[in-house]
Amino acid sequence: GENVEQHPSTLSVQEGDSAVIKCTYSDSASNYFPWYKQELGKRPQLIIDIRSNVGEKKDQRIAVTLNKTAKHFSLHITETQPEDSAVYFCAASKNAGGTSYGKLTFGQGTILTVHP
Amino acid sequence: SAVISQKPSRDICQRGTSLTIQCQVDSQVTMMFWYRQQPGQSLTLIATANQGSEATYESGFVIDKFPISRPNLTFSTLTVSNMSPEDSSIYLCSVPGGNEQFFGPGTRLTVL
């Protein structure tokens, strides 16, 4: 089955700096790669995702890059703010029919702390 | 987007007992997923629940310990049976919606 590795496990940055979190996956059939942000005591919330037919996607301060050949993808947060502090999870999945994706395999998570 | 509710939101249980967690979705979905998040850990898939068929369990999870029901396209239950302190976790249901997956608010279970 799929295996997703995520690094680093903790990341501490100063406000305004950039943060990068990296993930690798093992199943070459995976074609959907979401990133979730989980604040303390809350459910995971999707912040950005990328599909295997594109190499990069950007949404304001957040971007994700995908290298299918190397089977790794990364989350980039620019101009970090204290409210970006949370646990971030990468995940991988593959199409389950139509536009739906199947089960998610999660990375281990990264605790991001942004210091004011 | 899908609106998902779970009951109970939290519970404290004695070892050896069982707890049934409910997941209700505001729209019909074919697949529902049950995840476990142990304290300070990532999310691990327990099983996939499809309406009208037996749930599919991931390695390390068995039906006797985590029986699942899926009576219709908007509802599912997960039972945690014969609980031990190691079952203390957050249990989340999840459904696909549009091009993403949505999570319920979770059920925080503590086993004493």
Side-chain angles (χ1 to χ4, degrees), chain B residues 4 14 20 26-27:
Chain B
I4 308 170
Q14 297 297 319
T20 295
D26 69 340
S27 58

Side-chain angles (χ1 to χ4, degrees), chain B residues 58-84:
Chain B
E58 297 298 305
S59 176
F61 298 96
V62 295
I63 188 171
D64 290 348
K65 176 67 175 178
F66 298 101
I68 287 171
S69 77
R70 184 78 202 275
N72 58 54
L73 292 173
T74 64
F75 186 78
S76 178
T77 67
L78 169 76
T79 299
V80 186
S81 303
N82 188 25
M83 289 183 286
S84 67

